[in-house]
Amino acid sequence: MTHSSSTSVEHEAYMKQAIETACQNLQRPFGALLVDHREGEVLASAVNRSYRNPVAHSELEVINEAVRKSGGDVNWKNCTLYVTAEPCAMCMSGILWTGISRVVFGSSIQTLRDLDYRHIDLRAAEVVARAKGALSCELIGGILESECDALFTAAIKLDKKSR
């Protein structure tokens, strides 16, 4: 993970919005916010909808929402994606293909695995490291990590109660 030119205060403010979005689905609190970091404009937000479609993770949903809202006119290189959890390998690949320049996340894949979330044990940084050519993305982890971890811990408890 690297540090960015944006301040941690900015990252925390946007992550709070991603957390608010995640609260729309307390059973799968994966929330995403796509921000044009040059303009400071929120382009789209989305929550995990994998209960409808197994690949409707919040990261891919927010990309699709941004395309829908803009008619496909998004300057991805100017975008920062804020997500409550580190992107899985599928989502990180999609992020790389769009050209989004930065991902800021809260909970780590390791935390999700420790909580017994079904997850592929492949960190986002490894997906980025294996990318070729112009496929690159800055990763910043641990922003409002304890707040994000609390969401996922509560979701697991909720899931165990419903069984």
Side-chain angles (χ1 to χ4, degrees), residues 91-124:
C91 291
M92 195 64 234
S93 296
I95 291 163
L96 286 168
W97 284 117
T98 65
I100 291 171
S101 64
R102 181 185 311 133
V103 173
V104 177
F105 63 89
S107 297
S108 69
I109 285 176
Q110 186 57 54
T111 296
L112 296 179
R113 291 186 59 79
D114 291 347
L115 289 170
D116 288 332
Y117 273 85
R118 193 176 73 161
H119 223 286
I120 297 168
D121 192 13
L122 184 62
R123 301 291 305 261

Side-chain angles (χ1 to χ4, degrees), residues 21-32 45-62 84 88 90-91 117 152:
T21 300
C23 289
Q24 295 173 23
N25 183 354
L26 293 176
Q27 291 184 305
R28 293 176 188 88
F30 297 87
S45 63
V47 68
N48 180 295
R49 300 203 189 286
S50 63
Y51 55 89
R52 282 196 228 155
N53 173 345
V55 297
H57 292 191
S58 63
E59 298 94 330
L60 301 181
E61 290 289 288
V62 81
T84 53
C88 72
M90 174 184 72
C91 291
Y117 273 85
F152 293 107

Side-chain angles (χ1 to χ4, degrees), residues 32 34 43-47 49 58-72 74 76:
L34 188 66
L43 303 176
S45 63
V47 68
R49 300 203 189 286
S58 63
E59 298 94 330
L60 301 181
E61 290 289 288
V62 81
I63 290 166
N64 288 327
E65 180 65 11
V67 169
R68 187 188 67 72
K69 286 171 89 174
S70 71
V74 178
W76 301 107

